[in-house]
Amino acid sequence: MSEQPQQVQIGKPVPDFRLPADSGEEISLSQFRGRKVVLYFYPKDSTPACTQEACDFRDLAQAYGEYGAAVLGISGDSVKSHGRFAMKQGLNFPLLSDESQEVCRKFGVWQLKKMYGREFEGIVRSTFLIDEEGKLLREWRGVRVKGHAEQVLEALRETNKK
């Protein structure tokens, strides 16, 4: 029997992690302390919805930066796959490789999914907005790509008004 995924909770610190990025360097969440982080999990490089989502975050990355936020993407694809994907799409933020699904499990996004009558485990498209101290501000689970990057930007605007 598999263990229940640890769920992150709004207002609580999220678990730190260290993963290899498309650039080849290791990136940890804690290195972004002092900045907000838009952390998004997606199923697979170079698929239509994941490409659209990455491009939407790319196109708004400068606007996120104006609110002091960095963008990080995570999937189970390899560093090599991330590198090709990031280069082809001109991404301006790191893609992190979680081939062991360890970080995905910590955030509760590695789940049983169904598609075309088949069951399999995979990443449920999800986004987490983390504050400057590493606490979870907002979460979106089971994300629909269309308009999502704008929703996250709006949430950033809201948090900066407080």
Side-chain angles (χ1 to χ4, degrees):
M1 185 165 158
S2 68
E3 63 181 68
Q4 261 320 76
Q6 176 187 339
Q7 294 287 331
V8 292
Q9 294 182 330
I10 299 215
K12 301 272 188 248
V14 298
D16 192 20
F17 59 80
R18 184 173 204 74
L19 290 172
D22 58 293
S23 62
E25 69 179 312
E26 290 261 317
I27 291 184
S28 68
L29 184 59
S30 59
Q31 78 188 59
F32 292 92
R33 286 284 149 75
R35 294 185 71 185
K36 288 186 178 88
V37 175
V38 173
L39 180 66
Y40 82 98
F41 291 83
Y42 65 99
K44 189 140 186 62
D45 290 340
S46 302
T47 56
C50 294
T51 298
Q52 183 63 58
E53 184 177 31
C55 291
D56 289 350
F57 279 120
R58 174 199 67 202
D59 295 347
L60 290 176
Q62 186 176 344
Y64 293 136
E66 289 168 15
Y67 290 100
V71 176
L72 299 173
I74 297 181
S75 85
D77 293 308
S78 69
V79 168
K80 192 173 178 179
S81 174
H82 280 345
R84 286 191 304 264
F85 182 49
M87 176 101 48
K88 184 175 181 186
Q89 301 305 327
L91 301 183
N92 50 8
F93 56 85
L95 295 178
L96 308 180
S97 176
D98 186 20
E99 289 185 275
S100 69
Q101 296 89 39
E102 185 180 332
V103 175
C104 292
R105 290 177 200 280
K106 284 181 180 179
F107 280 80
V109 302
W110 186 259
Q111 298 176 12
L112 193 60
K113 298 168 72 172
K114 289 182 182 181
M115 186 183 293
Y116 307 119
R118 198 173 66 93
E119 284 191 347
F120 60 97
E121 286 191 319
I123 292 175
V124 173
R125 190 182 310 279
S126 303
T127 302
F128 300 88
L129 178 57
I130 301 164
D131 75 8
E132 296 85 351
E133 286 133 36
K135 291 181 183 160
L136 184 61
L137 286 173
R138 293 276 310 267
E139 64 180 10
W140 296 263
R141 294 179 183 271
V143 165
R144 297 268 174 244
V145 172
K146 188 170 173 53
H148 176 62
E150 290 83 2
Q151 274 185 319
V152 175
L153 182 58
E154 187 53 39
L156 262 174
R157 282 190 189 111
E158 293 294 313
T159 62
N160 278 24
K161 287 178 186 174
K162 293 179 181 174

